[in-house]
């Protein structure tokens, strides 16, 4: 398997995608994207009827130890990998590679790839400082290559994750996300501590990375990610404890990472029941990056009628508007 630097790895993505598509190892599902504005924020709803043909994968049983659930289905992120889906192992100093980059087998937008741990780790575990620093190094490589990339992580049973094995995902807004990345990226104010935006109806917290982060080496960023993420995670636990139906056990949340910000969104539910159809709409981290996915015209119409804020609030948590916890910022 090729071992590559972050720059090489990011450069390889388009060619690997093309080759895997041609060999039939990568399945591409065509879609159309519609823009809806709510509270001054552009949301993109992607209509992808072709996904109805996607083979239904058994949902992971997060209540079982991963080993037991793993016995029921093969872990797609464990070796042997499908050769054409491998972009490469990520080179890390002199040590042995800890991560492999794979193409997303079920691609809705081009060049969607994953970073998976070589050793099994649980998707219900928090991203480590090293996971975040390595992820950030791929965003930096994207910037050097002139391709904006953001990363997301679905953690826990209610987060929208469909695989047990730890994986972070990467998308380019150029390839189908909101221009400029997640809505929060337009924020210009200074932010000395984690903050939240008053326009968003669900609990969420944002940590602004120091400006030097973008030109730093991954190992220099470990303490920043350790410190930033632990502060955000504390806010997640506090928020879950303060809900009308408090959660004290395993937390579910989504993480978004851009070159400027680390965002976290605590989750109460995996899916929202649409009033119009009674169907459940599953939401993962991309929903909170301003991207929703529907599989039929009927679902598209139902989402439009329901309102995206209602849906995101439905799967997220009630806000805790307590300046002691996290100051609110009102301007996007
Ligand atoms: P998870 O965190 O476990 O789950 P997910 O992103 O919600 O994807 P899911 O699998 O539930 O897909 P869905 O039908 O909702 O991530 C697992 C990732 O690994 C996924 O990207 C999955 O496709 C990929 N994967 C699964 N088996 C694999 C294998 N054998 N080899 C390599 N990769 C494998 O959505 C379908 C697709 O659309 C997903 O890729 C999803 O990320 C994407 N998507 C969701 N919302 C979108 C939006 N608004 N716009 C564009 N794409 C969107």
């Amino acid at each position: 398997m090729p071992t590559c630097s972050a720059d090489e790895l990011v450069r390889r993505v388009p060619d690997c995608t093309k080759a895997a598509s041609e060999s039939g190892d990568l399945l591409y599902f065509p879609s159309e994207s519609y823009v809806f504005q709510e509270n001054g924020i552009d949301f993109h709803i992607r209509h992808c009827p072709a996904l109805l043909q996607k083979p239904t994968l058994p949902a992971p049983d997060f209540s079982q130890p991963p080993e037991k659930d793993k016995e029921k289905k093969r872990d797609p992120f464990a070796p042997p990998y499908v050769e054409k889906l491998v972009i490469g192992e990520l080179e890390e100093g002199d040590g042995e590679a800890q991560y492999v980059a794979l193409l997303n087998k079920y691609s809705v937008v081009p060049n969607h790839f994953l970073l998976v741990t070589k050793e099994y780790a649980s998707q219900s575990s928090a991203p480590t400082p090293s996971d975040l620093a390595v992820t950030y190094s791929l965003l930096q490589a994207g910037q050097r290559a002139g391709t904006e990339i953001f990363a997301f992580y679905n953690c826990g049973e209610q987060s929208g994750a469909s695989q047990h094995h730890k994986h972070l995902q990467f998308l380019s807004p150029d390839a189908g996300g909101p221009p400029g990345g997640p809505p929060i990226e337009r924020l210009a104010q200074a932010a000395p501590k984690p903050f939240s935006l008053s326009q968003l109806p669900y609990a969420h917290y944002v940590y602004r990375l120091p400006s030097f982060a973008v030109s730093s080496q991954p190992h220099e960023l470990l303490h920043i990610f350790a410190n930033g993420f632990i502060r955000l995670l504390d806010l997640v636990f506090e928020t879950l404890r303060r809900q009308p139906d408090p959660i004290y056990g395993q937390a579910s949340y989504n993480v978004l990472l851009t070159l400027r910000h680390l965002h976290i969104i605590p989750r109460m539910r995996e899916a929202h029941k649409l009033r119009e159809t009674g169907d459940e709409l599953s939401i993962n981290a991309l929903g909170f990056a301003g991207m929703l996915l529907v599989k039929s015209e009927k679902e598209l119409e139902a989402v439009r009628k329901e309102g995206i804020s209602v849906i995101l609030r439905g799967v997220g948590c009630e806000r805790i508007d307590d300046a002691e916890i996290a100051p609110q910022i009102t301007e996007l």
Side-chain angles (χ1 to χ4, degrees), residues 9-10 12-14 16-18 20 26-29 46 51 54 77 84-87 101-115 147 149-154 162 167-177 284-286 291 293:
L9 201 143
V10 165
R12 287 174 62 90
V13 173
C16 290
T17 300
K18 189 163 177 280
L26 184 153
L27 307 174
Y28 178 68
F29 299 93
R46 197 162 276 279
L51 268 181
K54 178 185 166 190
F77 303 150
K84 291 280 188 197
L85 294 180
V86 176
I87 307 166
L102 300 176
L103 293 169
N104 175 8
K105 182 177 171 66
Y106 305 103
S107 180
V108 173
V109 294
N111 304 329
H112 178 165
F113 67 98
L114 318 170
L115 192 68
T147 313
I149 302 175
F150 70 93
F152 60 100
Y153 184 66
N154 301 319
S162 66
H167 59 282
L168 291 120
Q169 305 192 51
F170 297 79
L171 268 188
S172 165
D174 302 342
N284 71 12
L286 287 179
M291 302 166 70
L293 184 68

Short mmCIF file of all heavy atoms in Angstrom, two decimals, residues 9-10 12-14 16-18 20 26-29 46 51 54 77 84-87 101-115 147 149-154 162 167-177 284-286 291 293:
data_model
loop_
_atom_site.label_atom_id
_atom_site.label_comp_id
_atom_site.label_asym_id
_atom_site.label_seq_id
_atom_site.Cartn_x
_atom_site.Cartn_y
_atom_site.Cartn_z
N LEU A 9 -1.29 12.65 -0.63
CA LEU A 9 -2.55 11.95 -0.44
C LEU A 9 -3.73 12.77 -1.02
O LEU A 9 -4.56 12.26 -1.77
CB LEU A 9 -2.73 11.72 1.06
CG LEU A 9 -3.68 10.61 1.43
CD1 LEU A 9 -3.16 9.89 2.65
CD2 LEU A 9 -5.02 11.17 1.70
N VAL A 10 -3.74 14.06 -0.69
CA VAL A 10 -4.82 14.92 -1.19
C VAL A 10 -4.76 15.02 -2.72
O VAL A 10 -5.78 14.99 -3.40
CB VAL A 10 -4.76 16.31 -0.50
CG1 VAL A 10 -5.60 17.35 -1.23
CG2 VAL A 10 -5.21 16.20 0.95
N ARG A 12 -3.75 12.74 -4.73
CA ARG A 12 -4.13 11.46 -5.34
C ARG A 12 -5.65 11.27 -5.44
O ARG A 12 -6.12 10.45 -6.22
CB ARG A 12 -3.58 10.29 -4.50
CG ARG A 12 -2.08 10.09 -4.61
CD ARG A 12 -1.61 9.02 -3.63
NE ARG A 12 -2.21 7.71 -3.90
CZ ARG A 12 -1.70 6.80 -4.71
NH1 ARG A 12 -0.55 7.02 -5.30
NH2 ARG A 12 -2.31 5.66 -4.91
N VAL A 13 -6.42 12.02 -4.63
CA VAL A 13 -7.86 11.73 -4.51
C VAL A 13 -8.60 11.73 -5.86
O VAL A 13 -9.28 10.74 -6.18
CB VAL A 13 -8.54 12.68 -3.48
CG1 VAL A 13 -10.04 12.52 -3.47
CG2 VAL A 13 -7.97 12.43 -2.09
N PRO A 14 -8.47 12.77 -6.69
CA PRO A 14 -9.26 12.76 -7.94
C PRO A 14 -8.92 11.59 -8.87
O PRO A 14 -9.82 10.95 -9.42
CB PRO A 14 -8.90 14.10 -8.61
CG PRO A 14 -8.37 14.95 -7.50
CD PRO A 14 -7.73 14.03 -6.52
N CYS A 16 -7.58 8.65 -8.02
CA CYS A 16 -8.05 7.40 -7.41
C CYS A 16 -9.57 7.29 -7.58
O CYS A 16 -10.09 6.20 -7.86
CB CYS A 16 -7.71 7.36 -5.93
SG CYS A 16 -5.96 7.18 -5.59
N THR A 17 -10.28 8.40 -7.42
CA THR A 17 -11.75 8.38 -7.57
C THR A 17 -12.12 7.93 -8.98
O THR A 17 -13.02 7.10 -9.17
CB THR A 17 -12.33 9.80 -7.29
OG1 THR A 17 -11.98 10.17 -5.98
CG2 THR A 17 -13.84 9.84 -7.45
N LYS A 18 -11.42 8.49 -9.96
CA LYS A 18 -11.71 8.16 -11.36
C LYS A 18 -11.48 6.67 -11.60
O LYS A 18 -12.34 5.97 -12.16
CB LYS A 18 -10.80 9.01 -12.27
CG LYS A 18 -11.12 8.95 -13.73
CD LYS A 18 -10.45 10.13 -14.45
CE LYS A 18 -10.71 10.05 -15.95
NZ LYS A 18 -9.82 9.10 -16.61
N ALA A 20 -11.37 4.18 -9.40
CA ALA A 20 -12.30 3.31 -8.65
C ALA A 20 -13.70 3.34 -9.25
O ALA A 20 -14.44 2.35 -9.22
CB ALA A 20 -12.33 3.73 -7.19
N LEU A 26 -16.16 1.96 -6.78
CA LEU A 26 -16.79 3.12 -6.18
C LEU A 26 -18.13 3.33 -6.89
O LEU A 26 -18.18 3.37 -8.12
CB LEU A 26 -15.89 4.34 -6.36
CG LEU A 26 -16.32 5.65 -5.72
CD1 LEU A 26 -15.09 6.51 -5.42
CD2 LEU A 26 -17.27 6.46 -6.57
N LEU A 27 -19.19 3.42 -6.10
CA LEU A 27 -20.52 3.60 -6.69
C LEU A 27 -20.89 5.06 -6.58
O LEU A 27 -20.89 5.62 -5.47
CB LEU A 27 -21.54 2.72 -5.96
CG LEU A 27 -21.15 1.24 -5.87
CD1 LEU A 27 -22.15 0.48 -5.02
CD2 LEU A 27 -21.07 0.62 -7.27
N TYR A 28 -21.17 5.69 -7.71
CA TYR A 28 -21.51 7.11 -7.71
C TYR A 28 -23.01 7.28 -7.87
O TYR A 28 -23.62 6.68 -8.76
CB TYR A 28 -20.74 7.83 -8.84
CG TYR A 28 -21.07 9.28 -8.92
CD1 TYR A 28 -20.69 10.16 -7.92
CD2 TYR A 28 -21.78 9.78 -10.00
CE1 TYR A 28 -21.01 11.51 -7.97
CE2 TYR A 28 -22.11 11.13 -10.07
CZ TYR A 28 -21.73 11.98 -9.05
OH TYR A 28 -22.05 13.31 -9.11
N PHE A 29 -23.63 8.07 -6.98
CA PHE A 29 -25.08 8.29 -7.01
C PHE A 29 -25.35 9.73 -7.43
O PHE A 29 -25.11 10.65 -6.63
CB PHE A 29 -25.68 8.01 -5.63
CG PHE A 29 -25.46 6.60 -5.16
CD1 PHE A 29 -24.36 6.27 -4.37
CD2 PHE A 29 -26.34 5.59 -5.52
CE1 PHE A 29 -24.15 4.97 -3.95
CE2 PHE A 29 -26.13 4.28 -5.10
CZ PHE A 29 -25.05 3.98 -4.32
N ARG A 46 -29.76 18.16 -0.85
CA ARG A 46 -29.36 17.35 -1.99
C ARG A 46 -30.39 16.24 -2.19
O ARG A 46 -30.67 15.47 -1.27
CB ARG A 46 -27.97 16.76 -1.74
CG ARG A 46 -27.30 16.26 -2.98
CD ARG A 46 -25.83 16.10 -2.75
NE ARG A 46 -25.11 17.36 -2.95
CZ ARG A 46 -24.76 17.83 -4.14
NH1 ARG A 46 -25.05 17.16 -5.24
NH2 ARG A 46 -24.11 18.97 -4.25
N LEU A 51 -29.97 6.92 -4.45
CA LEU A 51 -29.55 6.25 -3.20
C LEU A 51 -30.56 5.21 -2.73
O LEU A 51 -30.24 4.35 -1.92
CB LEU A 51 -29.35 7.28 -2.09
CG LEU A 51 -27.96 7.86 -1.90
CD1 LEU A 51 -27.97 8.84 -0.75
CD2 LEU A 51 -26.90 6.79 -1.68
N LYS A 54 -29.21 1.97 -3.19
CA LYS A 54 -28.00 1.57 -2.45
C LYS A 54 -28.34 0.36 -1.57
O LYS A 54 -29.37 0.36 -0.90
CB LYS A 54 -27.57 2.74 -1.55
CG LYS A 54 -26.36 2.46 -0.69
CD LYS A 54 -26.09 3.66 0.24
CE LYS A 54 -25.11 3.27 1.32
NZ LYS A 54 -24.98 4.27 2.36
N PHE A 77 -13.74 -1.16 7.10
CA PHE A 77 -12.56 -0.32 7.30
C PHE A 77 -11.38 -1.10 7.90
O PHE A 77 -10.43 -0.52 8.41
CB PHE A 77 -12.91 0.90 8.15
CG PHE A 77 -14.03 1.74 7.59
CD1 PHE A 77 -14.87 2.46 8.41
CD2 PHE A 77 -14.26 1.80 6.22
CE1 PHE A 77 -15.91 3.23 7.89
CE2 PHE A 77 -15.29 2.55 5.68
CZ PHE A 77 -16.12 3.27 6.52
N LYS A 84 -8.84 -0.69 -4.95
CA LYS A 84 -9.11 0.55 -5.69
C LYS A 84 -9.66 1.66 -4.81
O LYS A 84 -9.74 2.81 -5.22
CB LYS A 84 -10.11 0.27 -6.82
CG LYS A 84 -9.56 -0.57 -7.92
CD LYS A 84 -8.71 0.29 -8.85
CE LYS A 84 -8.31 -0.51 -10.06
NZ LYS A 84 -7.20 0.10 -10.78
N LEU A 85 -10.12 1.30 -3.60
CA LEU A 85 -10.65 2.35 -2.71
C LEU A 85 -9.55 2.95 -1.83
O LEU A 85 -9.77 3.94 -1.15
CB LEU A 85 -11.77 1.80 -1.83
CG LEU A 85 -13.06 1.37 -2.55
CD1 LEU A 85 -14.08 0.85 -1.55
CD2 LEU A 85 -13.68 2.52 -3.35
N VAL A 86 -8.35 2.35 -1.88
CA VAL A 86 -7.26 2.85 -1.03
C VAL A 86 -6.57 4.03 -1.70
O VAL A 86 -6.12 3.94 -2.84
CB VAL A 86 -6.22 1.73 -0.78
CG1 VAL A 86 -5.03 2.28 0.02
CG2 VAL A 86 -6.85 0.56 -0.06
N ILE A 87 -6.49 5.15 -0.97
CA ILE A 87 -5.74 6.30 -1.48
C ILE A 87 -4.30 6.17 -0.98
O ILE A 87 -3.35 6.42 -1.71
CB ILE A 87 -6.34 7.64 -0.99
CG1 ILE A 87 -7.84 7.70 -1.32
CG2 ILE A 87 -5.64 8.82 -1.64
CD1 ILE A 87 -8.59 8.78 -0.60
N ALA A 101 -6.20 6.27 4.31
CA ALA A 101 -7.25 7.06 3.64
C ALA A 101 -7.91 6.18 2.59
O ALA A 101 -7.22 5.55 1.77
CB ALA A 101 -6.64 8.30 3.01
N LEU A 102 -9.23 6.12 2.65
CA LEU A 102 -10.01 5.31 1.71
C LEU A 102 -11.02 6.21 1.01
O LEU A 102 -11.54 7.16 1.62
CB LEU A 102 -10.82 4.23 2.46
CG LEU A 102 -10.08 3.20 3.30
CD1 LEU A 102 -11.09 2.30 4.01
CD2 LEU A 102 -9.16 2.36 2.43
N LEU A 103 -11.35 5.86 -0.22
CA LEU A 103 -12.44 6.58 -0.88
C LEU A 103 -13.75 6.09 -0.30
O LEU A 103 -13.89 4.91 0.05
CB LEU A 103 -12.43 6.29 -2.38
CG LEU A 103 -11.24 6.84 -3.13
CD1 LEU A 103 -11.21 6.27 -4.55
CD2 LEU A 103 -11.28 8.37 -3.16
N ASN A 104 -14.72 7.00 -0.20
CA ASN A 104 -16.07 6.60 0.19
C ASN A 104 -16.65 5.73 -0.93
O ASN A 104 -16.72 6.17 -2.07
CB ASN A 104 -16.91 7.86 0.39
CG ASN A 104 -18.37 7.56 0.68
OD1 ASN A 104 -18.75 6.41 0.89
ND2 ASN A 104 -19.18 8.60 0.71
N LYS A 105 -17.01 4.51 -0.59
CA LYS A 105 -17.52 3.59 -1.62
C LYS A 105 -18.85 4.08 -2.20
O LYS A 105 -19.14 3.85 -3.37
CB LYS A 105 -17.73 2.21 -0.98
CG LYS A 105 -18.22 1.13 -1.91
CD LYS A 105 -18.30 -0.20 -1.17
CE LYS A 105 -18.98 -1.28 -1.98
NZ LYS A 105 -18.23 -1.65 -3.16
N TYR A 106 -19.64 4.76 -1.39
CA TYR A 106 -20.98 5.21 -1.82
C TYR A 106 -20.94 6.73 -1.98
O TYR A 106 -21.28 7.47 -1.06
CB TYR A 106 -22.04 4.79 -0.80
CG TYR A 106 -22.01 3.31 -0.54
CD1 TYR A 106 -21.45 2.79 0.61
CD2 TYR A 106 -22.53 2.42 -1.48
CE1 TYR A 106 -21.41 1.42 0.84
CE2 TYR A 106 -22.49 1.06 -1.27
CZ TYR A 106 -21.93 0.56 -0.11
OH TYR A 106 -21.88 -0.79 0.10
N SER A 107 -20.51 7.16 -3.15
CA SER A 107 -20.20 8.57 -3.32
C SER A 107 -21.38 9.36 -3.89
O SER A 107 -21.91 9.02 -4.94
CB SER A 107 -19.00 8.67 -4.25
OG SER A 107 -18.66 9.98 -4.46
N VAL A 108 -21.76 10.41 -3.19
CA VAL A 108 -22.82 11.30 -3.68
C VAL A 108 -22.18 12.55 -4.27
O VAL A 108 -22.64 13.08 -5.27
CB VAL A 108 -23.81 11.66 -2.54
CG1 VAL A 108 -24.81 12.71 -2.99
CG2 VAL A 108 -24.54 10.40 -2.07
N VAL A 109 -21.13 13.03 -3.62
CA VAL A 109 -20.35 14.12 -4.21
C VAL A 109 -18.93 13.60 -4.47
O VAL A 109 -18.44 12.76 -3.71
CB VAL A 109 -20.34 15.40 -3.32
CG1 VAL A 109 -21.71 16.01 -3.21
CG2 VAL A 109 -19.76 15.12 -1.96
N PRO A 110 -18.32 14.06 -5.56
CA PRO A 110 -17.01 13.52 -5.92
C PRO A 110 -15.95 13.79 -4.85
O PRO A 110 -16.05 14.74 -4.09
CB PRO A 110 -16.65 14.27 -7.22
CG PRO A 110 -17.83 15.06 -7.60
CD PRO A 110 -18.79 15.11 -6.46
N ASN A 111 -14.95 12.92 -4.84
CA ASN A 111 -13.76 13.09 -4.00
C ASN A 111 -14.04 13.09 -2.50
O ASN A 111 -13.31 13.71 -1.73
CB ASN A 111 -12.99 14.38 -4.39
CG ASN A 111 -12.64 14.39 -5.86
OD1 ASN A 111 -12.42 13.32 -6.44
ND2 ASN A 111 -12.59 15.55 -6.46
N HIS A 112 -15.11 12.41 -2.10
CA HIS A 112 -15.44 12.26 -0.67
C HIS A 112 -14.57 11.10 -0.15
O HIS A 112 -14.66 10.00 -0.64
CB HIS A 112 -16.93 11.94 -0.58
CG HIS A 112 -17.46 11.69 0.80
ND1 HIS A 112 -18.81 11.70 1.06
CD2 HIS A 112 -16.86 11.42 1.97
CE1 HIS A 112 -19.01 11.44 2.35
NE2 HIS A 112 -17.84 11.26 2.92
N PHE A 113 -13.72 11.40 0.81
CA PHE A 113 -12.87 10.32 1.31
C PHE A 113 -12.87 10.22 2.83
O PHE A 113 -13.41 11.10 3.51
CB PHE A 113 -11.44 10.42 0.74
CG PHE A 113 -10.64 11.62 1.19
CD1 PHE A 113 -9.73 11.51 2.23
CD2 PHE A 113 -10.77 12.85 0.57
CE1 PHE A 113 -8.97 12.60 2.65
CE2 PHE A 113 -10.03 13.95 0.98
CZ PHE A 113 -9.12 13.82 2.02
N LEU A 114 -12.32 9.13 3.33
CA LEU A 114 -12.35 8.83 4.76
C LEU A 114 -10.94 8.59 5.27
O LEU A 114 -10.09 8.09 4.52
CB LEU A 114 -13.15 7.55 5.03
CG LEU A 114 -14.45 7.31 4.28
CD1 LEU A 114 -14.93 5.88 4.52
CD2 LEU A 114 -15.51 8.27 4.75
N LEU A 115 -10.72 8.92 6.53
CA LEU A 115 -9.47 8.57 7.19
C LEU A 115 -9.84 7.58 8.28
O LEU A 115 -10.62 7.92 9.18
CB LEU A 115 -8.85 9.83 7.81
CG LEU A 115 -7.42 9.68 8.29
CD1 LEU A 115 -6.47 9.47 7.12
CD2 LEU A 115 -6.98 10.92 9.07
N THR A 147 -7.53 23.44 -2.94
CA THR A 147 -8.83 22.80 -2.78
C THR A 147 -9.27 22.95 -1.33
O THR A 147 -8.60 22.44 -0.42
CB THR A 147 -8.73 21.26 -3.02
OG1 THR A 147 -7.99 21.06 -4.20
CG2 THR A 147 -10.08 20.59 -3.09
N ILE A 149 -11.14 22.01 1.87
CA ILE A 149 -11.71 20.74 2.37
C ILE A 149 -12.17 20.98 3.80
O ILE A 149 -11.54 21.73 4.54
CB ILE A 149 -10.63 19.63 2.41
CG1 ILE A 149 -10.02 19.39 1.03
CG2 ILE A 149 -11.21 18.32 2.92
CD1 ILE A 149 -8.87 18.38 1.05
N PHE A 150 -13.26 20.36 4.20
CA PHE A 150 -13.58 20.32 5.62
C PHE A 150 -13.79 18.87 6.03
O PHE A 150 -13.99 18.00 5.18
CB PHE A 150 -14.77 21.22 5.98
CG PHE A 150 -16.11 20.75 5.48
CD1 PHE A 150 -16.94 19.96 6.29
CD2 PHE A 150 -16.57 21.12 4.23
CE1 PHE A 150 -18.18 19.54 5.84
CE2 PHE A 150 -17.81 20.70 3.76
CZ PHE A 150 -18.62 19.92 4.56
N ALA A 151 -13.70 18.62 7.34
CA ALA A 151 -13.80 17.25 7.83
C ALA A 151 -14.97 17.14 8.79
O ALA A 151 -15.38 18.13 9.40
CB ALA A 151 -12.51 16.87 8.54
N PHE A 152 -15.52 15.92 8.90
CA PHE A 152 -16.59 15.72 9.89
C PHE A 152 -16.48 14.35 10.53
O PHE A 152 -15.89 13.42 9.97
CB PHE A 152 -17.98 15.95 9.28
CG PHE A 152 -18.37 15.06 8.12
CD1 PHE A 152 -19.19 13.95 8.33
CD2 PHE A 152 -17.97 15.34 6.83
CE1 PHE A 152 -19.58 13.14 7.27
CE2 PHE A 152 -18.35 14.54 5.77
CZ PHE A 152 -19.16 13.44 5.98
N TYR A 153 -17.06 14.26 11.73
CA TYR A 153 -16.99 13.04 12.52
C TYR A 153 -18.34 12.83 13.19
O TYR A 153 -18.85 13.75 13.85
CB TYR A 153 -15.87 13.17 13.57
CG TYR A 153 -15.64 11.92 14.39
CD1 TYR A 153 -15.16 10.77 13.79
CD2 TYR A 153 -15.88 11.90 15.76
CE1 TYR A 153 -14.93 9.61 14.54
CE2 TYR A 153 -15.65 10.74 16.51
CZ TYR A 153 -15.19 9.61 15.89
OH TYR A 153 -14.96 8.47 16.62
N ASN A 154 -18.93 11.66 12.98
CA ASN A 154 -20.21 11.32 13.60
C ASN A 154 -19.90 10.40 14.78
O ASN A 154 -19.48 9.27 14.57
CB ASN A 154 -21.11 10.57 12.60
CG ASN A 154 -21.39 11.40 11.35
OD1 ASN A 154 -21.62 12.59 11.45
ND2 ASN A 154 -21.37 10.77 10.18
N SER A 162 -22.93 5.14 10.62
CA SER A 162 -23.42 3.83 10.18
C SER A 162 -22.34 2.75 10.31
O SER A 162 -22.60 1.60 10.02
CB SER A 162 -23.92 3.91 8.73
OG SER A 162 -22.83 4.17 7.88
N HIS A 167 -13.77 6.49 11.91
CA HIS A 167 -13.48 7.10 10.61
C HIS A 167 -13.87 8.57 10.62
O HIS A 167 -14.95 8.93 11.06
CB HIS A 167 -14.21 6.36 9.48
CG HIS A 167 -15.70 6.35 9.65
ND1 HIS A 167 -16.34 5.50 10.52
CD2 HIS A 167 -16.66 7.09 9.07
CE1 HIS A 167 -17.64 5.71 10.46
NE2 HIS A 167 -17.87 6.68 9.60
N LEU A 168 -12.96 9.40 10.12
CA LEU A 168 -13.29 10.81 9.88
C LEU A 168 -13.53 10.95 8.39
O LEU A 168 -12.96 10.20 7.60
CB LEU A 168 -12.13 11.69 10.34
CG LEU A 168 -11.96 11.68 11.86
CD1 LEU A 168 -10.62 11.17 12.25
CD2 LEU A 168 -12.21 13.07 12.44
N GLN A 169 -14.39 11.89 8.02
CA GLN A 169 -14.73 12.02 6.59
C GLN A 169 -14.34 13.41 6.08
O GLN A 169 -14.36 14.38 6.85
CB GLN A 169 -16.23 11.80 6.39
CG GLN A 169 -16.69 10.46 6.96
CD GLN A 169 -18.10 10.10 6.51
OE1 GLN A 169 -18.40 10.14 5.32
NE2 GLN A 169 -18.95 9.76 7.44
N PHE A 170 -14.07 13.48 4.79
CA PHE A 170 -13.58 14.72 4.17
C PHE A 170 -14.37 15.04 2.91
O PHE A 170 -14.58 14.17 2.07
CB PHE A 170 -12.10 14.56 3.77
CG PHE A 170 -11.21 14.32 4.95
CD1 PHE A 170 -11.13 13.06 5.52
CD2 PHE A 170 -10.48 15.36 5.50
CE1 PHE A 170 -10.32 12.84 6.63
CE2 PHE A 170 -9.67 15.14 6.61
CZ PHE A 170 -9.59 13.88 7.17
N LEU A 171 -14.77 16.28 2.81
CA LEU A 171 -15.51 16.75 1.63
C LEU A 171 -14.99 18.12 1.24
O LEU A 171 -14.53 18.87 2.09
CB LEU A 171 -16.98 16.94 1.99
CG LEU A 171 -17.97 15.83 1.80
CD1 LEU A 171 -19.37 16.37 2.05
CD2 LEU A 171 -17.90 15.25 0.41
N SER A 172 -15.16 18.43 -0.03
CA SER A 172 -14.79 19.76 -0.48
C SER A 172 -16.06 20.54 -0.77
O SER A 172 -16.92 20.04 -1.50
CB SER A 172 -13.96 19.64 -1.75
OG SER A 172 -13.91 20.89 -2.35
N PRO A 173 -16.21 21.75 -0.23
CA PRO A 173 -17.39 22.54 -0.57
C PRO A 173 -17.48 22.75 -2.09
O PRO A 173 -18.56 22.81 -2.65
CB PRO A 173 -17.18 23.87 0.14
CG PRO A 173 -16.13 23.63 1.15
CD PRO A 173 -15.32 22.46 0.67
N ASP A 174 -16.31 22.79 -2.77
CA ASP A 174 -16.31 22.95 -4.24
C ASP A 174 -17.09 21.82 -4.89
O ASP A 174 -17.64 21.95 -5.97
CB ASP A 174 -14.90 22.90 -4.82
CG ASP A 174 -14.01 23.96 -4.23
OD1 ASP A 174 -14.56 24.91 -3.66
OD2 ASP A 174 -12.78 23.81 -4.34
N ALA A 175 -17.08 20.65 -4.23
CA ALA A 175 -17.68 19.47 -4.84
C ALA A 175 -19.13 19.29 -4.44
O ALA A 175 -19.72 18.26 -4.72
CB ALA A 175 -16.89 18.24 -4.44
N GLY A 176 -19.72 20.23 -3.78
CA GLY A 176 -21.13 20.04 -3.47
C GLY A 176 -21.58 20.55 -2.13
O GLY A 176 -22.73 20.43 -1.77
N GLY A 177 -20.68 21.15 -1.37
CA GLY A 177 -21.10 21.71 -0.08
C GLY A 177 -21.46 23.17 -0.25
O GLY A 177 -21.36 23.71 -1.33
N ASN A 284 -26.78 13.40 9.70
CA ASN A 284 -25.43 13.23 10.25
C ASN A 284 -24.76 14.61 10.32
O ASN A 284 -25.43 15.64 10.17
CB ASN A 284 -24.62 12.20 9.44
CG ASN A 284 -24.20 12.68 8.07
OD1 ASN A 284 -24.30 13.86 7.76
ND2 ASN A 284 -23.74 11.77 7.24
N ALA A 285 -23.46 14.65 10.56
CA ALA A 285 -22.76 15.93 10.75
C ALA A 285 -22.99 16.88 9.58
O ALA A 285 -22.99 18.11 9.76
CB ALA A 285 -21.26 15.67 10.91
N LEU A 286 -23.19 16.33 8.38
CA LEU A 286 -23.33 17.22 7.22
C LEU A 286 -24.56 18.11 7.35
O LEU A 286 -24.57 19.23 6.82
CB LEU A 286 -23.41 16.40 5.93
CG LEU A 286 -22.09 15.77 5.50
CD1 LEU A 286 -22.26 14.96 4.22
CD2 LEU A 286 -21.02 16.84 5.29
N MET A 291 -25.85 20.93 4.98
CA MET A 291 -26.15 20.02 3.86
C MET A 291 -27.08 18.91 4.32
O MET A 291 -26.72 18.11 5.19
CB MET A 291 -24.86 19.36 3.37
CG MET A 291 -23.80 20.32 2.90
SD MET A 291 -22.21 19.48 2.71
CE MET A 291 -22.50 18.44 1.29
N LEU A 293 -29.70 15.63 3.08
CA LEU A 293 -29.81 14.65 1.99
C LEU A 293 -31.21 14.05 2.01
O LEU A 293 -31.67 13.60 3.06
CB LEU A 293 -28.78 13.55 2.24
CG LEU A 293 -28.65 12.46 1.17
CD1 LEU A 293 -28.07 13.04 -0.11
CD2 LEU A 293 -27.75 11.33 1.67
#
